[in-house]
Amino acid sequence: MSTDARLSGLGSRWGAVPAGALPPPRAKVLAAKGALAEAVGGRVSFSDFDRLSYARDLWPLALLWIRQGKVPPPPDAIVWPGTEDEVARVVRVARDKRLALIPYGAGSGVCGGAWAIHGGVTLDLKRFDSIGPVDEARRCVDVGAGVMGETLERKLNFSGWTLGHFPSSIYCSSVGGWIAARSAGQLSSRYGKIEDMVLSLRAVLGTGEQLITPERPFSGPDLAPLLIGSEGTLCAFTGARLRVFPLPEGRVFHGFEFASVEEGLEAIRLVFREGLRPAVVRLYDPFDTAFVGKGGKARHAPVTPPSLRSAMERSFLPMMLRQVTKQTLGRPKVMNQLQRVFRKSRLILMFEGEAKRAEADDRAATMLCRKLGGDDLGEAPGRAWLARRYDVSYRMSRLIDAGTFADTMEIAAPWERVHEVYERVHAAASPYAFVLCHFSHAYADGCSLYFSFVGSGGDEQEIEQRYHQLWRAALAAAVSAGGNVSHHHGVGLLKAQALQDALGDGRHALAALKALFDPDGVMNPGKLGLSS
Amino acid sequence: MSDALLRHAPAYTTCAYCPKMCRFACPVAEAAPSESLSTWGKMVAGHLVQTQQRPLDEDAARALHACTGCMRCSTFCKHENQVGPALFAARGATVEAGLQPRGAATTLATFTQSQNPFGRELATLVAARRALGPVKFQLFPGCSALVKAPALVDDVLEVARRFGAPMGVARVSSRCCGYPLYAAGAHDAFREHAAAMADAMSHVPELTVLDPGCALTFLKVYPAFGVKLQTRVHTLVEVLADHLPHAPATPPLDEVVGYHDACHLGRGLGQYDQPRALLHRAVRQVTEGASVRREGGCAGGGGLLPRTMPDVAVEVARRQAAEVTPSPDVAVVTACPTSRRMFERAGKKSYDLVTLLRRWTEGT
Amino acid sequence: MSSLADALGPVARDTADGGVLLAPGDERALANALHVLADQGARLNRDATLSRERLTEVGPVEPRSMTLEVGAGVVLQRLDDRLRTFGLTVGPLSPSAMQLTLGDFLEGPFAGLRAIPGGRLEPLCTRLVAVLADGRRLETSEAPRSAAGPDLSALVLGGHGRLGVVTRARVRCFPLPEADVRATYSLPSPAAFVTAFTRAVAEGAWPWRVHVDPRSGRVVAEVRLAGSAGAVERDRDLFGRCVDEAGGRPSGDAEREGPVAVSHESTWPAVQASLEAGRALQLFRLSLGTVVARGDVDGLRLDEPTAWSSLGGRLLALDPRGVLGGAP
Ligand SMILES: Cc1cc2nc3c(=O)[nH]c(=O)nc-3n(C[C@H](O)[C@H](O)[C@H](O)COP(=O)(O)OP(=O)(O)OC[C@H]3O[C@@H](n4cnc5c(N)ncnc54)[C@H](O)[C@@H]3O)c2cc1C
Ligand code: SF4
Ligand code: SF4
């Protein structure tokens, strides 16, 4: 069956439930209450309010439901283990009673990975919150899986180190979640994705076994890459030894404007071919360049009481937006065609590290960009980006409040295919949503594409329908043009079928791993397309 | 639905749709790591109540009370959501529904009986420290200091004298500012109390307030409830920092201390430099945490958390103490009696800034 | 003909030493052979030896991503020779790695890893095609990175062919260097050498090889830098600064031959210990965590398979028929 056909059931398969009338916890989970409580020293909850809090992650589909007073199906219970033994005990209870276990980091996943589609027990790992001292000689740190990203980064910075991992969700995601979903930060081109930072993992398998993966060098296959990205379907991560870097001594920013996206992409390709590793590389497509990507002034700190601007944004803007969206985002194709009048494409580069090296690398990149006709915009766009680099994540509230849907799709492709993937996804998504794209996370052999979609419709039903149509069309176009299914958001439920299709025969290998590490299928059933 | 809930409706909704962008910042959610107690979880509770999607239940009520009002989340909220006030407003609904957590309910009962949260007669405590002669500054210590740390009030009076800013405890200090009513969600009672207090204060042109919680209540919460004060209110650290040039030229104590920015003093009133100016004169070395000033952590004492979730409150304090001090034997210093008490409850050596200033000026 | 070779058909032949050599030409032939072996109760790597002599096809070069599809039987040195005509190279692998077939490099102790600028290790290939123990085909994505589930190529890389047998892969190349220079430094101690060189690698230097020799209280390190003229210049400058900060200085010492010895994957502390014991080393694949070191040094032997870590052994359950031979 094609991705397209399989995804068509997406909306209805996991029915939303009214926030005000949750189904009661399943009898078999209630029956395990005593055993669960014993496993985690009493830290278990069956309360409706807690079940509501854990019913969703940040898959935007849930936001459409929230707007209608509904939520995804909630877990029956939540447990908060604090030791590996406790996790192992919970796994044993789950195996014994055949309960689904859903590992939960901070719930910032955007693909439904933490949804409890079969009910069961959500396993919140945030009590694994230790941050060890930095081992300066070996440049690493031992961290609990439940540590929040920003907390870790601040702690490291305080002693002169950095992890170098800055996902836009750094304020709201956990180390375990990063590892589980193969996260990438904004500076990945220099520091790597999370899998590059992991030296060793601590995990409890679906068998209940506790393990620590060996650090290089060791003989035989490496278990870590088989667990990283498993999104809770094979194990629960409890901690990791992560590589750290000294805080950069210098930073150099440079912006360029190219006549077209193609030229901008070529510049990135040549920069990486030259062996340069900018910490930041972001190329905005023409519309993003024309409006969104323009480097304005960094916003000031929040003020108390709320400023006039904030008050405007609260009441006036949503009302305006609601009016405008009907006219514009309700007819995205027209909007998308209009954007074709824009051609220019803006690139932001940032080099950091040893100051002289960063400057030398910047000079080399500048020469390449100029040779390709890039207009030198100096350092302002880069600095402005840095100052506002997480701001975009706050926009979700406004967009949802304005009656739209909004989502992002991040995929990667080898250089031969990047532009075609861009064009094909753009065209496929155009009838359903307004489309923006930027290119970041570059490599010598390819690059990731990050699409933003905003759409609307006549009513909630139409909006949800369009949302699903959009994803079907965009994913199918991406894969058929030579892109992959995900570069860093993971798979969850949203891309489960697309992954299974993309794996081809390899899906049996994934299933075999599942059977090996989670023989009773209790770990996060249904995610990655793996059934219970 | 109450006007208060309606007023905060946009804030609740914004949070309900937000990708929890302040998730890491909430000290309560760090100490009691449940999504339900995260800023987002608590504001969603407000959203559900305000939109009447769910009847309030005990767990949602508990969540609405699981906030110290520290406003650290707001520092990281680009929407400038005023989470503390929004959650405190929603506590009104818990009072109406009779679902207040026990600690909040008992506080309210005590307050109703004795007009302060300790059930103590404050007038005698005040009388003992009234100035005998004329003084430059009228001091409002706050009932917390009067009841729980009377020696601290003596420290204030002594330090003020040595700084050339003699103080006496104001008679009006025998009344509580009313913060416990506000934090417990008894908003009508709070408004009434505030109006009466403003009236009682009307003959005091200027008041120096020791407890930043009281100062915040006078300066920010009263106006939000439509109560105007005739009195000019200053914090103690403001006054002392102003008089620092008149302080004795004693060398700093040969000590290392960690500094905790009390939330109501810092984020609440924007006073970051004054306590530091005082502290840096008084000791050789001051350490701070990875997050400071507007972004600094919380000691768990606000919002009645020590009464509604005592263990969580102490855990908040324990974490913050560890954050601001490089090792367990280094003491925490703060300019807030409530924060200091929390550190003490967390088993951490701690001083109030004024106590340290006294030791410094006395060279002990 | 032995009965096993007979059963395997044209993909197999007897060898002079009485063994059976299995030389499939594609994935289907390999899968069939695995089924036959299983039916016969035989095992690859025990009752039959795999030859990838027929898996030597080399596809066209994709100049933009600098990748090409290569049969797993192609010897890396030959591939490199061929790539030169396209202005590309497989890059700085160690001499012993260059003598391996692509399949042996990916499956063997090298685990298919190479170092890229910035000191990270990544597989030499993007997409790989393999036949797993159950005879099914595994084909991974050719996109540079993916977050779509576990990285299944880990069933092949470093797996000694015991979980899956690679048949071909999309190899990532580098531009053929336009400059190739050597710079020599003298450092006050092995610790200073490790400090300077790990720093330079972390900051983006990309040495192709380092010869390091502890002599009369100092350490002399000769580094080979190759790449574009600009890249080599930048790397040389960076090395100069890192060496300087570690208390070293440039040195005029002439180039020397490295020790002819076994290669190990070693940690930096192991390298330092070896230098402190007065042993000269030749270093390749310099990364943030480990290096490939030729000489007398502690580490994982790279010239032959050694016993797996117990966790890796856990994966052998993925071959319930044991057709790929079980634990090495
Ligand atoms: C505004 C916003 C911006 C984002 N930007 C980025 C970005 O720049 N880069 C990026 O990579 N991602 C980004 N994301 C996606 C998301 O933050 C990542 O997927 C992140 O890795 C999820 O971490 P989490 O702790 O929130 O995990 P969760 O959402 O709790 O879980 C994600 C998945 O991992 C599993 N899981 C979580 N913890 C564990 C554990 N300890 N053990 C086993 N399984 C576990 C869950 O079961 C689930 O399947 C963004 C999300 C948002 C909302
Ligand atoms: S306070 Fe602001 S950042 Fe925090 S959840 Fe609410 S809207 Fe988001
Ligand atoms: S005000 Fe403080 S305690 Fe309350 S939700 Fe915000 S961060 Fe948490």
Side-chain angles (χ1 to χ4, degrees), chain A residues 394 397, chain B residues 11 14-15 18 20-22 39-40 43 73 76-79 81 83:
Chain A
Y394 291 84
S397 297
Chain B
T14 307
C15 289
C18 174
K20 314 183 185 179
M21 286 304 288
C22 60
T39 303
W40 169 86
M43 290 293 275
C73 51
F76 298 95
C77 177
K78 299 279 171 192
H79 305 292
N81 263 2
V83 172

Side-chain angles (χ1 to χ4, degrees), chain A residues 26-282:
Chain A
R26 286 166 180 75
K28 70 172 179 176
V29 186
L30 273 174
K33 190 172 189 172
L36 288 169
E38 200 179 320
V40 293
R43 289 191 169 85
V44 58
S45 170
F46 285 78
S47 99
D48 274 2
F49 182 61
D50 285 331
R51 293 171 66 216
L52 260 181
S53 301
Y54 285 89
R56 60 171 165 127
D57 57 10
L58 292 162
W59 183 7
L61 176 61
L63 291 177
L64 305 187
W65 293 350
I66 296 290
R67 203 161 55 196
Q68 304 166 51
K70 295 183 290 184
V71 289
D76 299 301
I78 301 98
V79 291
W80 289 270
T83 64
E84 273 134 11
D85 284 345
E86 288 186 355
V87 176
R89 284 203 288 267
V90 172
V91 171
R92 275 197 287 279
V93 174
R95 290 187 71 184
D96 196 33
K97 315 271 185 207
R98 297 293 154 124
L99 313 178
L101 268 189
I102 305 104
Y104 191 101
S108 74
V110 286
C111 304
W115 285 23
I117 49 170
H118 298 292
V121 181
T122 290
L123 185 73
D124 188 338
L125 290 142
K126 270 192 292 300
R127 286 182 62 224
F128 290 87
D129 63 351
S130 64
I131 303 177
V134 171
D135 179 336
E136 305 211 348
R138 302 189 51 230
R139 298 193 166 189
C140 60
V141 62
D142 288 335
V143 184
V147 172
M148 299 296 297
E150 179 71 8
T151 306
L152 173 60
E153 185 58 23
R154 281 171 183 254
K155 195 96 178 180
L156 291 174
N157 292 174
F158 191 59
S159 51
W161 298 87
T162 177
L163 183 63
H165 189 66
F166 302 93
S168 308
S169 56
I170 189 166
Y171 290 175
C172 58
S173 54
S174 71
V175 169
W178 291 346
I179 295 169
R182 285 188 178 269
S183 165
Q186 294 167 339
L187 274 53
S188 75
S189 298
R190 174 176 167 90
Y191 297 102
K193 288 184 70 194
I194 193 69
E195 58 262 36
D196 299 302
M197 295 159 187
V198 170
L199 299 179
S200 155
L201 291 170
R202 299 177 74 97
V204 178
L205 296 176
T207 54
E209 291 162 88
Q210 302 174 28
L211 60 85
I212 303 174
T213 60
E215 288 181 56
R216 295 211 77 81
F218 57 83
S219 178
D222 189 356
L223 211 61
L226 294 170
L227 297 178
I228 297 173
S230 59
E231 299 188 29
T233 62
L234 302 177
C235 67
F237 297 111
T238 54
R241 176 164 295 167
L242 301 176
R243 170 171 291 131
V244 294
F245 297 82
L247 277 174
E249 175 189 300
R251 261 186 185 161
V252 191
F253 299 87
H254 227 124
F256 298 92
E257 197 150 84
F258 290 93
S260 66
V261 151
E262 293 91 316
E263 283 170 34
L265 285 171
E266 185 61 2
I268 300 178
R269 192 180 75 79
L270 293 182
V271 162
F272 280 77
R273 188 188 157 97
E274 172 68 14
L276 298 165
R277 290 290 178 274
V280 174
V281 46
R282 297 173 80 85

Side-chain angles (χ1 to χ4, degrees), chain B residues 192-240:
Chain B
E192 252 175 58
H193 181 92
M197 184 71 178
D199 204 33
M201 286 164 76
S202 60
H203 66 278
V204 188
E206 200 165 2
L207 202 58
T208 301
V209 181
L210 164 62
D211 191 320
C214 307
L216 182 89
T217 307
F218 291 139
L219 291 166
K220 300 282 162 133
V221 188
Y222 278 25
F225 277 73
V227 176
K228 272 210 180 106
L229 277 182
Q230 313 288 328
T231 313
R232 278 196 309 281
V233 170
H234 302 286
T235 64
L236 176 69
V237 289
E238 257 180 303
V239 173
L240 293 182

Side-chain angles (χ1 to χ4, degrees), chain B residues 26-28 39 42 67-73 83 87:
Chain B
C26 178
V28 176
T39 303
K42 292 177 277 201
C67 169
T68 62
C70 74
M71 303 296 278
R72 186 165 190 239
C73 51
V83 172
L87 290 178

Side-chain angles (χ1 to χ4, degrees), chain A residues 330-405:
Chain A
R331 283 182 290 171
K333 205 159 187 173
V334 181
M335 287 285 286
N336 285 317
Q337 266 156 11
L338 274 178
Q339 21 163 330
R340 294 290 167 165
V341 301
F342 301 100
R343 296 285 304 153
K344 296 210 158 163
S345 197
R346 177 175 293 196
L347 173 66
I348 289 172
L349 296 176
M350 180 185 92
F351 290 91
E352 70 173 32
E354 198 243 5
K356 287 200 170 114
R357 175 68 180 217
E359 283 162 18
D361 286 353
D362 174 67
R363 278 195 299 277
T366 300
M367 256 167 56
L368 281 169
C369 290
R370 287 200 188 133
K371 229 189 249 175
L372 283 169
D375 262 355
D376 193 332
L377 305 177
E379 62 171 18
R383 286 201 180 278
W385 169 82
L386 189 76
R388 296 177 303 140
R389 64 173 152 159
Y390 304 132
D391 287 16
V392 70
S393 301
Y394 291 84
R395 290 203 188 126
M396 184 59 102
S397 297
R398 295 277 175 262
L399 289 166
I400 296 296
D401 200 25
T404 69
F405 68 77

